[in-house]
């Protein structure tokens, strides 16, 4: 081979952009949605997932993508950023969404970007709603002898202090804070509905969507009746639809994209600091020990502790036996 070709192949391998992909690629998005990346297999990290989606969009060897979703949702901001990346991918080539166990809240937010949504009869679909809140630790630290006081930059402005401390972990969960969170939730909820209407591309009206929103969840069959999905089926059915939309031969193969860090990403390391990862790990263990009888919405607690105020996430746990 030419020396230039060898160098190009080496760079593609190091960056994770190998050219020998199957015409249909299956990309699995599993777990809670977060702005930070904690490595492969631990959730849907916005930065890494967007990079993968953009690579699939620009890879000329990939003719169609099947997004396999199994997520209860998570960060509102991260969900919207990933949704935008999926819409760019959808504009370039067929994008079929296959729902596994659930596409709920932020999970459904992402699913709505697909040309078609295929779900199992028992899949959990919907939870089109918003969860908001914050963690307030001010009174807790006072019990151990510490006190925090907020001083407004404008002493003569009565609302300046509450506005300045709105996002503080040390401020109280008072009426002004509650109202600001509610206002933010309302705006984000309206965005959620508008994104679904755009993603579903005329398949349901705003009135029809509102009848299935406000946090309601449905089985795959119920979601089909409410126009939230397009057909009942599994991953194989989604692959067939991707092959048909891309006008590929029946012999066209499909391969799963392995969500692992590339060589260069492994060298660079993760975004989160060791302290942040240790704090997240400790909080996860605490919640799991406190409520062992349920699947705790740990991602929601973690996001609130990081300063996020509004999320697309199931506000409760689901255990299917």
């Amino acid at each position: 081979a030419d020396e230039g070709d060898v160098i190009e192949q080496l760079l593609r391998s190091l960056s994770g952009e190998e050219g020998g992909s199957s015409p249909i690629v299956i990309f699995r998005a599993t777990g809670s949605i977060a702005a930070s990346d904690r490595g492969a297999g631990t959730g849907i990290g916005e930065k890494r997932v967007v990079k993968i989606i953009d690579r699939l969009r620009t890879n000329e060897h990939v003719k169609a993508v099947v997004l396999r979703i199994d997520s209860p949702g998570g960060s509102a901001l991260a969900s919207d950023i990933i949704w935008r990346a999926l819409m760019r991918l959808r504009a370039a080539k067929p994008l079929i969404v296959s729902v596994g166990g659930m596409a709920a809240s932020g999970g459904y937010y992402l699913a709505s970007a697909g040309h078609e949504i295929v779900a199992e009869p028992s899949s959990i679909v919907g939870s089109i709603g918003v969860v908001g809140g914050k963690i307030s630790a001010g009174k807790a630290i006072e019990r151990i002898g510490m006190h925090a006081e907020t001083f407004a930059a404008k002493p003569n402005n009565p609302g300046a202090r509450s506005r300045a401390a709105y996002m503080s972990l040390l401020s109280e969960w008072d009426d002004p804070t509650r109202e600001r969170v509610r206002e933010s939730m309302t705006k984000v909820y309206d965005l959620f509905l508008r994104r679904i209407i755009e993603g579903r591309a005329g398949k349901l009206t705003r009135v029809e969507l509102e009848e299935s929103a406000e946090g309601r969840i449905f089985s795959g069959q119920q979601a089909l009746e409410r126009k939230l999905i397009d057909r009942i089926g599994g991953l194989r059915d989604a692959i067939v639809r991707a092959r048909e939309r891309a006008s590929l031969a029946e012999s066209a193969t499909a391969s799963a994209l392995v969500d692992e860090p590339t060589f260069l990403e492994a060298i660079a390391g993760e975004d989160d600091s060791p302290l942040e990862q240790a704090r997240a790990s400790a909080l996860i263990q605490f919640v799991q020990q406190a409520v062992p009888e349920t699947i705790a919405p740990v991602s929601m607690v973690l996001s609130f502790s990081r300063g996020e105020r509004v999320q697309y996430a199931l506000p409760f746990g689901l255990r299917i036996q």
Side-chain angles (χ1 to χ4, degrees), residues 50-69:
V50 168
K51 287 181 181 179
I52 293 173
I53 294 171
D54 286 342
R55 285 207 298 262
L56 292 174
R57 175 173 54 85
T58 58
N59 189 335
E60 61 182 15
H61 299 278
V62 177
K63 305 303 180 184
V65 176
V66 174
L67 177 64
R68 178 71 169 181
I69 290 181

Side-chain angles (χ1 to χ4, degrees), residues 32-164:
S32 60
I33 303 169
S36 60
D37 298 310
R38 300 187 182 284
T42 57
I44 305 173
E46 166 247 310
K47 293 181 181 178
R48 174 160 180 76
V49 168
V50 168
K51 287 181 181 179
I52 293 173
I53 294 171
D54 286 342
R55 285 207 298 262
L56 292 174
R57 175 173 54 85
T58 58
N59 189 335
E60 61 182 15
H61 299 278
V62 177
K63 305 303 180 184
V65 176
V66 174
L67 177 64
R68 178 71 169 181
I69 290 181
D70 193 349
S71 173
S75 166
L77 177 59
S79 296
D80 192 64
I81 293 174
I82 297 173
W83 181 89
R84 288 170 178 267
L86 289 171
M87 291 297 284
R88 293 194 297 269
L89 171 62
R90 160 182 165 155
K93 57 193 66 175
L95 172 62
I96 306 298
V97 173
S98 171
V99 181
M102 69 172 65
S105 294
Y108 185 74
Y109 197 104
L110 304 188
S112 69
H115 283 111
E116 296 182 25
I117 303 176
V118 182
E120 306 277 358
S122 59
S123 297
I124 297 171
V125 179
S127 188
I128 303 168
V130 173
V131 175
K134 62 171 285 184
I135 294 179
S136 176
K139 292 183 178 180
I141 65 172
E142 286 188 355
R143 295 181 180 179
I144 58 174
M146 298 176 63
H147 176 73
E149 187 69 32
T150 302
F151 295 93
K154 298 180 180 179
N156 297 327
N157 188 327
R161 189 174 71 167
S162 61
R163 289 196 300 271

Side-chain angles (χ1 to χ4, degrees), residues 118-306:
V118 182
E120 306 277 358
S122 59
S123 297
I124 297 171
V125 179
S127 188
I128 303 168
V130 173
V131 175
K134 62 171 285 184
I135 294 179
S136 176
K139 292 183 178 180
I141 65 172
E142 286 188 355
R143 295 181 180 179
I144 58 174
M146 298 176 63
H147 176 73
E149 187 69 32
T150 302
F151 295 93
K154 298 180 180 179
N156 297 327
N157 188 327
R161 189 174 71 167
S162 61
R163 289 196 300 271
Y166 160 62
M167 298 186 70
S168 172
L169 184 70
L170 303 177
S171 65
E172 294 186 12
W173 180 242
D174 53 15
D175 290 338
T177 301
R178 186 178 294 107
E179 187 56 35
R180 291 198 64 178
V181 171
R182 182 181 291 111
E183 179 183 356
S184 178
M185 289 171 62
T186 301
K187 292 179 179 179
V188 175
Y189 176 68
D190 182 68
L191 177 65
F192 196 166
L193 298 184
R194 286 189 282 116
R195 291 293 193 233
I196 293 175
I197 292 295
E198 182 180 352
R200 297 295 287 153
K203 295 179 180 179
L204 77 170
T205 65
R206 173 79 179 228
V207 173
E208 290 173 327
L209 178 58
E210 289 177 344
E211 293 176 351
S212 301
E214 297 185 355
R216 299 179 180 91
I217 59 174
F218 308 97
S219 67
Q221 185 61 48
Q222 292 171 324
L224 178 63
E225 297 167 359
R226 290 173 172 266
K227 304 179 184 179
L228 297 179
I229 68 171
D230 297 288
R231 63 184 67 236
I232 295 294
L235 181 58
R236 182 174 299 177
D237 299 285
I239 295 173
V240 170
R241 290 301 299 143
R243 186 181 293 122
E244 293 174 350
R245 271 191 169 266
S247 299
L248 298 171
E250 293 186 5
S251 59
T253 60
S255 61
L257 185 151
V258 180
D259 184 10
E260 294 180 349
T262 66
F263 179 75
L264 295 180
E265 290 172 337
I267 293 177
E270 299 295 338
D271 291 338
D272 289 341
S273 66
L275 179 60
E276 171 68 14
Q277 294 186 29
R279 182 180 71 161
S281 177
L283 185 54
I284 289 174
Q285 293 180 12
F286 170 76
V287 175
Q288 289 177 337
Q289 292 174 2
V291 282
E293 72 282 356
T294 186
I295 302 175
V298 178
S299 63
M300 185 167 64
V301 176
L302 289 176
S303 294
F304 286 156
S305 72
R306 295 192 193 103

Side-chain angles (χ1 to χ4, degrees), residues 6-19 48 55 260-268:
V6 173
I7 294 176
E8 180 182 358
Q9 292 176 7
L10 175 61
L11 291 176
R12 284 182 177 274
S13 177
L14 292 176
S15 64
E17 296 186 6
E18 299 183 19
R48 174 160 180 76
R55 285 207 298 262
E260 294 180 349
T262 66
F263 179 75
L264 295 180
E265 290 172 337
I267 293 177

